[in-house]
Amino acid sequence: MAENSDASEEVLLDCRKICKSYNGPMVLSDVDFSMKRGEIHALVGENGAGKSTLIKIITGVTGRNSGTMVFEGKEIGHDHSRTGAQGLGIAVIYQELSLIHGMTVAQNMFLTKEPRMPVLGIINIRRMNSLAQAMIDRYGFNLKATDVIDGLSIGQRQTVEILKALNGKASLMIMDEPTSSLTSAESAQLFGIIRQLKADGISVLYISHRMEEVFDLSDRVTVLRDGRLVEVLEKERIHPNEIIRLMIGRCLDEKDSKCVMERKGGEVVLDVHGLSSEGKFSDISLQLHAGEVLGIGGLVGSGRTELVRAIYGIDAHDSGSISFQGKPWTPGVSQSIRGGFGFVPEERRLQGIMGGISITGNIGITNLDSIAGKGFVSDRKELALSRKAVGLLNIKPAEPSLPVGNLSGGNQQKVVVGKWLIRDLRLLIVDEPTVGIDIGAKEEMYQTIARLASEGVSVILVSSDLPELTRLSDRILVLRKGRIVKEFAEGAVTEEDVLRASSGILEGGAA
Amino acid sequence: MSITALRRLILIGLLLAIGLGLSLASPSFLKLDNLMTLLQEASQTGIVAVGFTLVLITAGIDMSIGAVIAITAMICANFLTYTHIPAFAFIPVALGAGCLVGLFNGFFITRFKLPEFIVTLASRGILAGLALLIAVKDADGFVSNVFIQDPVYLGFGGTVGPFYIITIVFLVLAVLVQFFLKRTRSGTNIYATGANPTAARLSGINTDKTIFAVYMFSGFCASLSSIFLSARMMTAMPEFGIGSEMDVIAAVVIGGTPFTGGIGDIWGTVIGTVFLAMIKNGILKLGISPYIQPIVIGGIIVVVVVVDVWYKGFAERLARNRARRRTAEQDRAAA
Ligand SMILES: Nc1ncnc2c1ncn2[C@@H]1O[C@H](COP(=O)(O)OP(=O)(O)OP(=O)(O)O)[C@@H](O)[C@H]1O
Ligand SMILES: [Mg+2]
């Protein structure tokens, strides 16, 4: 592709007056959106603002009701489809979705485009592997073409996703919340890749709720609110407060973060002693006091999620003991629910949500004990409960009969969290509670967690979001390779302290 | 060594051990005659199992295969009894019937998003009934036995050298399909469709087309095996094949193609069918009541599935540990 100075000013994609409704209210109204060649463009907005929908329209996943789209000077008709978009060079990075397990990196990169021998259409495996390896090497990734996907870390899988998309000769690469399951090191690597793409003349459209990323990376930012375009900011106007103001329509008075650890003296609610599970975590001992927020930090894959799953009783552990409120405790999901445990899982799509069922139904299922007194479910109580959750977390649209699958990603997450928060809880375990949740809703969630703690509920908070972890926790344990490597129990803690401990760089430099 | 390769090695070891045991226990086991019959029986199940394997790799299931065998046999019986059309002309029609059943299955699975099990179970019922309906009847309306005399047709039950033709056909089919699976785009699409249909569609694979194709092929394979069956038995009965799903499922599962889709291959199925045929042959040779066969087969299915699930958990643990090590390495590199 020819590169010259005005190439960067060339408009790659121009959408005008895009309207969309999923047979109901307008989700996008008269949205104008444009991308220049070789720019990094962030799309921001609250949960449900219509970001994912706009992307689905551009990539042909869903149709628009009206409006025009021009890509590389050619009009895109209403018959736009996913394959059509691929043919044009519009690539999307899906979160873990589009890789085939059991296949190698090369097979995934070349899926449906495998190089073939001249005769009989036989796949030329050797050539496929060497082409793939050449591409990996060109970008300097730490991967082998013959590695099988199943053995790769999340960050590496995402790299494969990007390679796969690049392989289709993409000129526009779209990423919808790409960093939501990455560690900070992995995110940093991803940003390196994004910059590399830009240098190659590829435009990147990027959605994220992590503001600091948006500021670091973007050349321009488009802000959506309630399905309308609010503003397009050029590089020099990209400021955190400005964007947040445009996004939510008001200024956010962030409670200044405490970030000071303090040991709570209350009664010990949960006492875990020497808990081990082979290959996941080993010799974990911790005590959780009443009204305490215990943060668990560490890298993705350090065993945090596995630990809290074992405590809640989803997975069995090999050895060690747990006592709850002074009595020996055998973990198990139904005991946990009866004992007043709440659990917000990490993989919300897989574990937390029944997409085809209404908000009410999703909330009802974990609260059957309170809505089904004598074995019959009371619709009235169920509805009242779900209204409460919808109000508590400001779920939009505030219509309990909607199937959860039709909500935006962030609002789905609010439903998962909400169905626990309305219970009478003793102990709340939350695993990455605010991934994909917009900045305003995050603040509300923080306040809810803090309020619960002040009412005496003990909270275990697993989070990769360091500001969140340091701000909410009374005490932080850091896990590394399945072991507790550090406890921050008193005094001020910075994000950097936690990060160092997580990656094995303890005080004094080398590990 | 990969975990699938290790599993295969264990299976082959087990096969040889059982073979050795049987040849010690029964002197007639190792006779050429017996071995060829064993292979012939393995091929009878095996041809159907090849098609079934593809269905299983797409994470589907085909319960109609047994009934396809029955209907194919009845179609041939009708041609043989009432017409003078030569075998070479009507056999393609009979094979086409198998494909047609697959088309029917595929249509309801993809178009109406119905569960594979239900659709194919329904076809099984319909076909089993149809087979009885079109069976050749005597004057009193009872199903009469057809004695096949057509020399060309009977030729399918014959041998080339010591090998039954069906064994040769099975092996050729297995080689071709294995190659197709591993070395063509369409083969890759079958794996992708079973491993992660959403991802496959996102990658531009027409998963519906893939599903149509595998069910049609499964029907074709069942029809093909039916022709060999009636040729060898020199007769065709409407009960042919009914209930044989059990053997086919057992063979494929023993071979290492799980019900979860995305994994498996034809070599495994070939080993699985020989394994199963050997067990059945052994039961006969050891003079144990043949009624015990289905019990043994059912038991084997359970054992294999249990061991596979356990093995999978074990393998996943290994993979997770490896991923964790890699992450750590990467972080160290990044730091
Ligand atoms: N399949 C669907 N059917 C009906 N309504 C839908 C569907 N998908 C999305 N919506 C609605 O469209 C609106 C915009 O959703 P969209 O997913 O585009 O939001 P978003 O900006 O990506 O939010 P988030 O940050 O939470 O991911 C939401 O109100 C949502 O409820
Ligand atoms: Mg979204």
Side-chain angles (χ1 to χ4, degrees), chain B residues 59-242:
Chain B
I61 190 162
D62 189 349
M63 297 304 290
S64 67
I65 42 183
V68 170
I69 295 179
I71 196 85
T72 310
M74 287 306 97
I75 291 174
C76 292
N78 275 284
F79 274 112
L80 287 165
T81 315
Y82 298 120
T83 71
H84 293 290
I85 300 176
F88 279 122
F90 72 72
I91 285 178
V93 176
L95 294 177
C99 298
L100 203 66
V101 175
L103 197 71
F104 174 88
N105 288 334
F107 178 74
F108 282 93
I109 292 167
T110 57
R111 185 66 210 279
F112 297 103
K113 310 268 174 267
L114 300 181
E116 298 84 354
F117 182 81
I118 298 297
V119 172
T120 55
L121 193 67
S123 329
R124 177 190 198 270
I126 295 171
L127 292 171
L130 270 181
L132 283 168
L133 209 63
I134 67 167
V136 176
K137 312 273 175 39
D138 61 18
D140 299 326
F142 292 109
V143 175
S144 68
N145 267 354
V146 178
F147 293 102
I148 302 175
Q149 282 150 342
D150 185 318
V152 178
Y153 197 90
L154 289 179
F156 282 92
T159 53
V160 174
F163 291 101
Y164 283 92
I165 293 177
I166 187 175
T167 307
I168 298 166
V169 169
F170 171 46
L171 289 180
V172 171
L173 186 74
V175 170
L176 288 179
V177 175
Q178 171 75 10
F179 191 78
F180 164 83
L181 268 181
K182 294 289 179 185
R183 297 299 295 272
T184 67
R185 286 186 186 178
S186 312
T188 312
N189 291 355
I190 294 180
Y191 282 103
T193 301
N196 188 341
T198 324
R201 275 191 292 273
L202 290 175
S203 310
I205 292 173
N206 187 339
T207 50
D208 285 356
K209 211 167 98 186
T210 307
I211 288 172
F212 262 110
V214 294
Y215 282 92
M216 285 174 70
F217 184 65
S218 172
F220 170 83
C221 289
S223 284
L224 185 63
S225 112
S226 171
I227 305 229
F228 285 107
L229 182 65
S230 46
R232 177 171 58 102
M233 307 294 256
M234 299 166 113
T235 181
M237 292 186 281
E239 298 85 41
F240 268 14
I242 304 287

Side-chain angles (χ1 to χ4, degrees), chain A residues 262-287:
Chain A
E262 133 186 57
R263 218 182 262 280
K264 289 260 158 100
E267 156 212 12
V268 175
V269 176
L270 187 78
D271 193 349
V272 176
H273 189 78
L275 205 66
S276 299
S277 174
E278 202 212 317
K280 295 178 179 169
F281 52 82
S282 49
D283 199 21
I284 301 285
S285 296
L286 58 87
Q287 288 192 329

Side-chain angles (χ1 to χ4, degrees), chain A residues 349 352-359 362 402-407 412:
Chain A
R349 272 202 98 63
I353 283 281
M354 296 168 286
I357 295 177
S358 67
I359 299 181
N362 268 281
L402 279 181
V404 171
N406 287 5
L407 300 181
Q412 293 187 0

Side-chain angles (χ1 to χ4, degrees), chain A residues 13-28:
Chain A
L13 168 72
D14 196 19
C15 305
R16 285 193 188 276
K17 298 221 171 301
I18 301 286
C19 293
K20 169 74 185 175
S21 87
Y22 296 93
N23 48 47
M26 293 301 270
V27 172
L28 293 175

